[in-house]
């Protein structure tokens, strides 16, 4: 159900805000350990980025709203090839 909602472009402003907060928190918390810092650096370097890109990425994240997410949603989820994993 949630995947179908995302694909249909039904992301609310509240959900978009929560997503931004979650992504930003994950980025910041990744620097809590040496392994996390090395992992973040590896991700950036592997796509040709610079270490200093992190600050710009976090700043750009603030401009991602429900309208932008909903516009991108149809291309983000491929329901024909999706796999749902239930945990718990």
């Amino acid at each position: 159900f949630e995947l179908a909602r995302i694909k249909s472009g039904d992301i609310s402003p509240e959900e978009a805000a929560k997503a931004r907060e979650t992504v930003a928190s994950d980025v910041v918390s990744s620097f809590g350990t040496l392994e996390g810092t090395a992992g973040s650096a590896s991700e950036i370097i592997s796509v040709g980025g610079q270490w200093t890109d992190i600050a710009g990425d976090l700043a750009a994240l603030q401009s991602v709203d429900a309208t932008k997410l909903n516009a991108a949603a149809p291309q983000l989820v491929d329901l024909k090839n999706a796999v749902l994993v239930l945990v718990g």
Side-chain angles (χ1 to χ4, degrees):
F1 175 71
E2 290 298 312
L3 290 176
R5 271 191 64 224
I6 291 170
K7 184 145 179 83
S8 70
D10 189 27
I11 302 167
S12 72
E14 294 78 17
E15 291 166 322
K18 177 65 174 166
R20 279 193 312 273
E21 292 167 12
T22 299
V23 171
S25 177
D26 288 350
V27 169
V28 171
S29 66
S30 73
F31 293 100
T33 65
L34 177 58
E35 293 83 8
T37 302
S40 294
S42 296
E43 288 178 22
I44 294 165
I45 292 167
S46 71
V47 295
Q50 300 295 317
W51 185 244
T52 54
D53 293 344
I54 294 172
D57 290 348
L58 283 173
L61 178 64
Q62 297 310 308
S63 72
V64 178
D65 59 11
T67 301
K68 289 180 181 178
L69 288 173
N70 285 321
Q75 296 86 33
L76 295 176
V77 179
D78 179 4
L79 292 178
K80 291 181 183 177
N81 295 305
V83 175
L84 180 62
V85 178
L86 301 175
V87 178

